[in-house]
């Protein structure tokens, strides 16, 4: 079906009643899609004054106006109130979901309410079913996936499955939602939101079609974009070694966190470098639907069963962030050990970054006697993968008060048991870039508390001075540029392929001239709306802690300049308040 008019087609499903309706949500030239559409829907239908745990809060999956029409427009924005922070949040994932939603005829799926039993929601262009899957309670992500393949199997076209593991069912605040085995809505607890709604899984069947625009503009532009990403070296890094290439680079820069950020470089990096994974463990590369690059690297894990000396072979995806979080951060220096730990994390349905950083804090706390086996139920040691595997299961299943507390975040547990000074938390458990002051402020105060909000890590590496105003302007402007991409919704790896003028050209080629003309102004408006929602749901930048560990970091530039970091933080805080106040005044 063609994209017509200026409204977004949104399917709203209430799990409590089982009722559904299709909304023609007006204002696409203003909200655009993706991140903007999710925020606009929450602004219209969310409950900012109610807690994040209220089942009436919407869980939103949104694609953009270019999804399904251009290469690398392969992501979906998941918008929700985070059980980790309580605030409006986003997580992004690839896989087949974006094209499945497009071919099902929806720009967004909005889910409210709590199902009476553990359920699977099946959505298509001509179907909506809620199935009782109580028999999947406690089952891991991959076991559940095998059962869920029966749903929508008779439909032709794209089919995507989003499911949670035991961690999501239990409400671990950094539980993730697995998308098509190798992609994830990973950060800030989308999996726990699904668990709170008694939603074990979502299956979207793209059982319809779309009409392509007539004329020469669209096919000409499509060909230009396709050739730019496949006929040049623009995307070569992501296809070859992938982001795992960054491990050696950051380790050499003294910017790779090791052993809970007690160090930023280690000569043992060779054992877990991207090159080592490629040489010894790389099985194949695959791609999200609609992407010609193939940046998803799948490693082959071989595990032997001692009782019968037989081997089990598993496929495990990896890239830079998982290797940092469950490799260097834990002092693991064997690539196979990292894959083994990632495989357990996947099955349990935990965000790999938050889980890895959480276990790194436990290992240091155990090492320093802050916690003992009384709390951890067993030893947890840097460099010992077996102790981390056992700890993961305790974390996902909440087998003691300590592990239940840790399931609410490292700082939550540290405030109870001690060790807050060495908690590696910047709004949420840190990403793997110990590059310096601007990045630490960027993740701590950024909208998603993510390295993907803006290129703060890149700014640290390129800045020649310590100009506070310049740093803050970079954070705000780079966030805006990324947001326009996230409203379309493209993979952020495609930023060079889709500068703002190219996005406008793409929209115009699809007949969306109002959206094209409004893009710069609407992008700024959606940036302000997202921040307004975050503030309305409890965010206060002055209350965000940057633990002492981040002041002790030493990189290639030397020790941290704490005064500079504080100045950037204060200036960034002022700009965020100004943006929200200005938006309220204009409204």
């Amino acid at each position: 079906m063609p994209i017509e008019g200026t409204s977004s087609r949104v399917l709203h499903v209430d799990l409590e009643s089982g009722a559904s309706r299709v909304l023609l949500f007006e204002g696409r030239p203003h909200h655009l899609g993706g991140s903007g559409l999710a925020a606009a829907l929450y602004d219209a239908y969310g409950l900012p004054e109610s807690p994040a745990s209220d089942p009436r809060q919407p869980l939103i999956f949104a694609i953009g106006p270019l999804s399904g029409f251009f290469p690398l427009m392969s992501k979906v924005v998941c918008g929700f109130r985070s059980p980790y922070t309580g605030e409006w949040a986003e997580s992004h994932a690839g896989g087949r979901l974006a094209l499945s939603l497009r071919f099902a005829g929806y720009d967004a799926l909005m889910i409210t309410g709590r199902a009476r039993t553990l359920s699977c929601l099946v959505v298509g262009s001509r179907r909506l079913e809620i199935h009782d899957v109580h028999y999947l309670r406690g089952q891991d992500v991959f076991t559940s996936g095998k059962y869920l393949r029966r749903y929508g199997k008779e439909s032709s076209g794209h089919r995507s499955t989003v499911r949670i593991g035991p961690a999501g069912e239990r409400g671990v605040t950094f539980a993730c939602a697995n998308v098509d085995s190798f992609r994830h809505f990973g950060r800030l607890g989308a999996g726990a939101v699904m668990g709170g709604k008694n939603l074990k899984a979502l299956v979207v069947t793209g059982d319809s079609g779309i009409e392509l625009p007539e004329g020469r503009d669209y096919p000409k532009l499509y060909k230009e974009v396709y050739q730019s990403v496949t006929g040049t070296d623009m995307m070569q890094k992501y296809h070859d070694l992938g982001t795992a290439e960054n491990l050696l680079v950051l380790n050499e820069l003294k910017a790779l966190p090791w052993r809970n950020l007690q160090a930023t470089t280690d000569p043992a990096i060779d054992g877990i470098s991207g090159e080592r994974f490629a040489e010894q463990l790389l099985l194949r590369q695959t791609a999200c639907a609609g992407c010609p690059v193939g940046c998803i690297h799948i490693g082959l894990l071989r595990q032997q069963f001692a009782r019968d000396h037989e081997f089990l072979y598993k496929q495990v995806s990896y890239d830079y962030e998982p290797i940092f979080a469950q490799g260097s951060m834990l002092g693991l220096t064997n690539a196979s050990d990292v894959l083994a730990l990632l495989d357990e994390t996947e099955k349990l349905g935990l965000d790999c970054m938050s889980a890895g950083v959480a276990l790194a804090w436990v290992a240091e706390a155990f090492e320093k006697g802050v916690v003992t086996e009384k709390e951890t139920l067993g030893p947890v040691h840097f460099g010992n993968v077996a102790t981390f595997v056992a700890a993961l299961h305790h974390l996902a299943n909440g087998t003691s008060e300590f592990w239940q507390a840790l399931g609410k975040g490292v700082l939550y547990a540290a405030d109870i048991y001690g060790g807050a000074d060495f908690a590696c938390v910047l709004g949420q458990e840190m990403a793997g870039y110990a590059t310096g002051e601007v990045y630490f402020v960027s993740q701590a105060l950024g909208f998603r508390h993510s390295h993907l909000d803006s290129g703060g890590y890149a700014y640290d590496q390129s800045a020649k001075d310590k100009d506070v105003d310049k740093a803050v302007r970079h954070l705000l402007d780079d966030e805006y540029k990324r947001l326009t991409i996230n409203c379309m919704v493209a993979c952020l790896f495609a930023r060079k392929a889709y500068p703002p003028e190219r996005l406008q050209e793409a929209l115009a080629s699809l007949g969306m001239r109002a959206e094209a003309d409004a893009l710069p102004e609407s992008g700024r408006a959606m940036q302000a709306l997202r921040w307004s929602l975050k503030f309305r749901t409890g965010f206060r930048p002055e209350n965000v802690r940057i633990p002492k560990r981040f002041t002790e970091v030493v990189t290639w530039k030397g020790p941290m300049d704490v005064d500079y970091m504080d100045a950037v933080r204060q200036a960034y805080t002022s700009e965020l308040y100004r943006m929200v106040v200005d938006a309220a005044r204009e409204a």
Side-chain angles (χ1 to χ4, degrees):
M1 61 184 66
I3 295 180
E4 297 178 343
T6 57
S7 62
S8 297
R9 197 163 184 265
V10 179
L11 177 63
H12 174 209
V13 180
D14 180 45
L15 293 175
E16 184 173 355
S17 65
S20 65
R21 57 177 176 160
V22 175
L23 306 171
L24 294 180
F25 190 68
E26 295 296 334
R28 191 175 62 220
H30 182 65
H31 59 65
L32 299 172
S35 293
L37 176 56
L41 285 168
Y42 188 82
D43 191 37
Y45 298 100
L47 303 171
E49 306 305 321
S50 297
S53 58
D54 190 326
R56 296 175 299 166
Q57 299 283 10
L59 171 65
I60 300 164
F61 300 92
I63 60 175
L66 302 183
S67 298
F69 291 99
F70 283 93
L72 287 102
M73 294 292 166
S74 54
K75 294 281 190 173
V76 177
V77 172
C78 180
F80 55 95
R81 286 283 294 278
S82 168
Y84 188 106
T85 65
E87 302 154 8
W88 175 245
E90 289 178 11
S91 187
H92 302 183
R96 297 184 295 274
L97 185 57
L99 286 189
S100 296
L101 282 167
R102 170 62 70 218
F103 285 108
Y106 302 114
D107 297 295
L109 169 63
M110 181 168 66
I111 303 170
T112 57
R114 175 180 169 86
R116 296 173 184 174
T117 63
L118 193 66
S119 299
C120 172
L121 172 63
V122 182
V123 169
S125 65
R126 297 176 294 274
R127 67 187 296 180
L128 191 149
E129 303 158 6
I130 300 176
H131 296 270
D132 180 350
V133 292
H134 67 275
Y135 50 86
L136 292 180
R137 187 169 297 282
Q139 295 295 326
D140 68 59
V141 164
F142 297 133
T143 299
S144 298
K146 294 176 182 178
Y147 284 96
L148 294 167
R149 288 174 190 155
R150 70 185 70 179
Y151 297 120
K153 189 175 183 180
E154 68 281 3
S155 299
S156 59
H158 291 277
R159 180 173 49 145
S160 180
T161 303
V162 182
R163 69 263 196 186
I164 62 173
E169 292 176 31
R170 276 206 59 259
V172 174
T173 61
F174 45 85
C176 77
N178 179 286
V179 184
D180 302 325
S181 296
F182 299 127
R183 301 291 87 184
H184 316 84
F185 293 113
R187 313 225 71 192
L188 292 172
V193 175
M194 288 182 64
K197 293 184 176 299
N198 238 352
L199 185 63
K200 180 71 172 180
L202 164 68
V203 177
V204 179
T205 61
D207 51 4
S208 183
I210 58 175
E211 296 178 14
L212 298 180
E214 298 179 356
R216 299 179 179 180
D217 290 347
Y218 169 70
K220 178 177 180 293
L221 182 59
Y222 184 99
K223 184 177 180 180
E224 290 176 3
V225 174
Y226 184 85
Q227 289 180 338
S228 72
V229 299
T230 60
T232 70
D233 61 0
M234 181 188 296
M235 307 299 289
Q236 184 174 349
K237 165 186 174 179
Y238 303 111
H239 175 270
D240 293 351
L241 285 180
T243 58
E245 173 185 298
N246 294 337
L247 284 147
L248 280 178
V249 175
L250 289 173
N251 190 71
E252 185 175 350
L253 279 176
K254 296 183 180 179
L256 176 64
W258 283 89
R259 295 176 294 282
N260 202 41
L261 199 50
Q262 294 182 81
T264 53
T265 187
D266 194 296
I269 184 61
D270 289 339
I272 57 170
S273 68
E275 289 77 1
R276 179 58 57 92
F277 273 86
E279 291 167 2
Q280 296 187 349
L281 299 172
L282 179 62
L283 174 65
R284 62 189 176 95
Q285 290 141 293
T286 186
C288 299
C291 175
V293 174
C295 76
I296 304 173
H297 290 66
I298 310 298
L300 181 64
L301 174 64
R302 188 176 84 156
Q303 293 180 315
Q304 183 176 4
F305 290 91
R307 62 179 182 274
D308 50 20
H309 302 290
E310 292 184 357
F311 289 94
L312 179 66
Y313 295 88
K314 300 177 181 179
Q315 298 183 44
V316 185
S317 65
Y318 67 85
D319 54 35
Y320 172 74
E321 279 78 19
I323 298 173
F324 133 75
Q326 305 207 353
S328 66
M329 196 66 166
L330 301 178
L332 296 178
T333 57
N334 180 285
S336 291
D337 286 346
V338 176
L339 281 192
L341 195 60
L342 286 173
D343 182 58
E344 293 297 323
T345 305
E346 290 274 21
K347 290 190 293 186
L348 294 167
L350 289 162
D351 172 55
C352 69
M353 277 197 277
S354 282
V357 174
L359 295 187
W361 174 81
V362 175
E364 184 170 350
F366 190 86
E367 187 178 75
K368 292 181 173 179
V370 174
V371 295
T372 67
E373 289 193 39
K374 177 183 177 182
E375 288 81 28
T376 62
L377 306 179
V380 184
H381 295 300
F382 288 117
N384 189 321
V385 67
T387 67
F388 287 125
V389 169
L392 271 179
H393 284 266
H394 290 312
L395 176 59
N397 294 299
T399 49
S400 72
E401 290 184 0
F402 170 78
W403 293 109
Q404 291 167 19
L406 191 61
K408 296 180 181 180
V410 169
L411 272 178
Y412 183 93
D415 285 341
I416 297 172
Y417 295 93
D421 283 352
F422 54 86
C424 293
V425 176
L426 296 167
Q428 65 178 319
E429 285 72 26
M430 73 175 296
Y433 303 89
T435 55
E437 301 89 351
V438 176
Y439 172 66
F440 293 156
V441 172
S442 172
Q443 184 181 336
L445 272 65
F447 177 78
R448 288 193 280 163
H449 302 296
S450 166
H451 66 291
L452 297 173
D453 286 330
S454 63
Y457 54 91
Y459 185 88
D460 280 327
Q461 296 176 62
S462 62
K464 303 301 182 183
D465 53 32
K466 295 181 179 180
D467 188 318
V468 172
D469 291 338
K470 187 189 299 183
V472 172
R473 182 49 49 196
H474 169 83
L475 296 181
L476 294 170
D477 287 347
D478 201 40
E479 179 194 65
Y480 158 73
K481 293 173 184 176
R482 291 172 184 239
L483 177 59
T484 59
I485 291 282
N486 292 335
C487 286
M488 293 301 104
V489 183
C491 174
L492 283 174
F493 290 165
R495 296 193 301 280
K496 291 183 180 179
Y498 289 107
E501 57 273 14
R502 176 57 61 83
L503 294 177
Q504 289 179 291
E505 192 178 357
L507 289 166
S509 76
L510 297 177
M512 291 183 277
R513 298 193 179 277
E515 288 82 350
D517 292 342
L519 181 63
E521 180 180 316
S522 296
R524 292 292 184 188
M526 289 304 98
Q527 185 181 24
L529 175 61
R530 294 197 316 158
W531 277 110
S532 295
L533 291 176
K534 190 172 176 68
F535 273 82
R536 285 166 58 192
T537 51
F539 178 66
R540 296 294 179 270
E542 64 272 18
N543 294 336
V544 176
R545 284 185 279 173
I546 298 181
K548 183 180 179 182
R549 175 55 50 86
F550 294 100
T551 70
E552 301 168 339
V553 171
V554 178
T555 72
W556 78 101
K557 295 185 293 186
M560 289 298 99
D561 184 334
V562 177
D563 290 339
Y564 174 54
M565 183 159 63
D566 288 343
V568 172
R569 173 181 179 146
Q570 291 173 18
Y572 190 35
T573 296
S574 297
E575 286 298 307
L576 294 179
Y577 271 109
R578 183 195 58 77
M579 186 191 305
V580 171
V581 170
D582 287 350
R585 185 181 298 119
E586 292 175 7

